[in-house]
Amino acid sequence: MANPEIASRIRTGAFHTNVHDLGQGAPVLFIHGSGPGVSAWANWRLAMPVLARTRRVIAPDMAGFGFTDRPPGIAYTMDTWVQQAIDLLDALDIERADVVGNSFGGALSLALAIRAPQRVRRLVLMGSVGVPFPITPGLDAVWGYTPSFANMRRIMDVFAHDRTLVTDELAQLRYEASIQPGFQESFGAMFPAPRQRWVDAMASPQAAIRALPHETLLLHGREDQVIPLATSLTLAQWIPRSQLHVFGRCGHWTQIEHSARFARLVGDFLAEAD
């Protein structure tokens, strides 16, 4: 059976990126989070087909994650990831895209909008990193993951508020994803302890965030144990043209726990600019 996580290979700078590219219309770039064994498909599988009905959905595996190349000696830094996103837009001949970022992907989307504002039309940040905060036990556990089914099961319990979403079958699938060749090596190298420094490294300067001209939609789960709701409250205060939607009874997986609402909110927000 074909692995749905593997899509097209597109040249981005010195390596190839695994990219899902579906639908037609205004382009929207989806950037996934940083959990173990994560991929663009794992993060966005429910949202992609819905939003692809009205626009072009582009969802890459960022360097160090999923099925994108892991060239020897690559530095897993914000500079690398922002450049990869720009190289991907260039390769697809996309001048400007809406950008949707989840968690780590939110910090990356924020950095992209700050460094290359002309490439971003509208911004959606979901359970986003990108401002300073004391690392949560949940995030410390996610970034400190070592492969076992029990550890994956435990982490997925941290991600979701609704435990019925976290089946043994799903945990087994994500555990198997996390132990594919090269996956844990890059993941383990990315966020070594002490992990507060990686939260700090992903933060964008306050002045730069306050200067953002983009219309921005912030989404957060009230019960998020990985990234505290306070980060989105801070972003809502700093980003001039922002709005914040908080989902009650929701953990870190807004796009999965409230998938229909997520797709509708994002679709409506992006459609305002069409």
Side-chain angles (χ1 to χ4, degrees):
M1 195 174 81
N3 183 347
E5 296 183 83
I6 299 173
S8 310
R9 278 172 64 75
I10 302 220
R11 185 91 187 167
T12 48
F15 58 91
H16 286 87
T17 293
N18 179 53
V19 185
H20 301 263
D21 186 347
L22 53 160
Q24 290 174 319
V28 54
L29 178 66
F30 278 86
I31 303 180
H32 60 73
S34 63
V38 77
S39 67
W41 184 86
N43 247 196
W44 303 116
R45 63 188 184 277
L46 302 180
M48 288 194 297
V50 180
L51 286 151
R53 290 173 199 157
T54 54
R55 53 196 67 246
R56 182 181 179 187
V57 171
I58 298 146
D61 289 347
M62 301 313 293
F65 298 99
F67 294 87
T68 285
D69 291 349
R70 291 169 167 77
I74 190 170
Y76 297 118
T77 62
M78 201 50 81
D79 289 346
T80 297
W81 290 313
V82 169
Q83 191 57 52
Q84 180 189 6
I86 291 169
D87 288 343
L88 175 59
L89 293 176
D90 288 347
L92 297 174
D93 207 21
I94 293 169
E95 200 174 314
R96 203 162 66 127
D98 295 317
V99 183
V100 181
N102 167 29
S103 194
F104 149 83
L108 173 47
S109 302
L110 202 54
L112 175 64
I114 288 166
R115 297 179 194 191
Q118 73 287 359
R119 306 304 295 268
V120 178
R121 188 177 73 158
R122 284 193 162 201
L123 204 50
V124 179
L125 305 175
M126 189 187 91
S128 185
V129 188
V131 296
F133 67 93
I135 193 167
T136 60
L139 182 57
D140 204 35
V142 168
W143 280 352
Y145 168 83
T146 52
S148 74
F149 169 76
N151 284 347
M152 182 59 82
R153 175 80 219 206
R154 201 171 301 125
I155 281 172
M156 296 187 86
D157 272 337
V158 171
F159 273 113
H161 173 69
D162 178 0
R163 295 297 195 276
T164 60
L165 288 171
V166 184
T167 60
D168 282 350
E169 182 187 31
L170 181 61
Q172 183 66 31
L173 276 174
R174 298 321 310 154
Y175 162 64
E176 286 169 9
S178 78
I179 56 169
Q180 293 177 93
F183 276 44
Q184 182 58 25
E185 288 79 353
S186 55
F187 185 74
M190 218 174 282
F191 308 114
R195 297 187 179 89
Q196 179 66 47
R197 59 190 161 147
W198 309 120
V199 172
D200 301 340
M202 285 183 195
S204 288
Q206 180 176 342
I209 297 174
R210 287 185 179 275
L212 275 176
H214 307 84
E215 289 283 347
T216 303
L217 173 63
L218 303 162
L219 303 168
H220 216 111
R222 186 182 62 200
E223 283 79 23
D224 193 332
Q225 295 179 61
V226 182
I227 308 300
L229 174 57
T231 62
S232 282
L233 295 172
T234 300
L235 286 166
Q237 288 172 325
W238 290 0
I239 300 174
R241 293 181 171 85
S242 65
Q243 49 185 294
L244 169 62
H245 188 100
V246 180
F247 292 90
R249 302 185 59 75
C250 182
H252 192 53
W253 275 353
T254 313
Q255 82 285 19
I256 291 169
E257 296 186 71
H258 293 262
S259 59
R261 283 172 166 174
F262 170 83
R264 198 157 52 238
L265 267 170
V266 172
D268 286 351
F269 173 72
L270 300 182
E272 288 176 4
D274 290 347

